[in-house]
Amino acid sequence: MTGDDTQPAMTYPATDQYEDWKADAADMDMSVSEWIQAMVEAGRKKFDASVEPDETVRELREQRNDLKAELEHARDRIDKLENQLHRGERETIRRFVEQNPGATRAEIGQRLADTVPERLNPHLDALEGVDLEKKGGEYYPTGGGT
């Protein structure tokens, strides 16, 4: 100091600013004075504020392409399974009409109704123990289905 006895002016943060600091300190499990000291020290360090990405653009593109390929594979598989399911029903109708040219819609419907058990059994067999539980002659959901 120079020869005069004046004290330097004290500066206090605005109430809103202090409340923000207090909240930030609490989030970091620190007292306000510890937080202020840590922030001042951090500010004094000449650190580079740039952030390096975790992954490069090339890596992200590769991941995207892998996910797109996986999605396309899943869609193809779903299409094949749906076609397989519908093909069985269609095949039943096609064979019936070949064996009974001129069949009416009602006759085709009756054929489907008559052959339900033979078409139903493979489906029930596949579901039993996975999605369905058989008790006696009755079926119940297992709760483990998707």
Side-chain angles (χ1 to χ4, degrees), residues 88-109:
E89 296 300 308
R90 291 177 188 149
E91 184 61 23
T92 300
I93 294 169
R94 189 188 62 73
R95 276 197 317 262
F96 179 73
V97 172
E98 279 181 352
Q99 295 167 357
N100 301 282
T104 66
R105 184 180 189 93
E107 292 168 333
I108 295 169

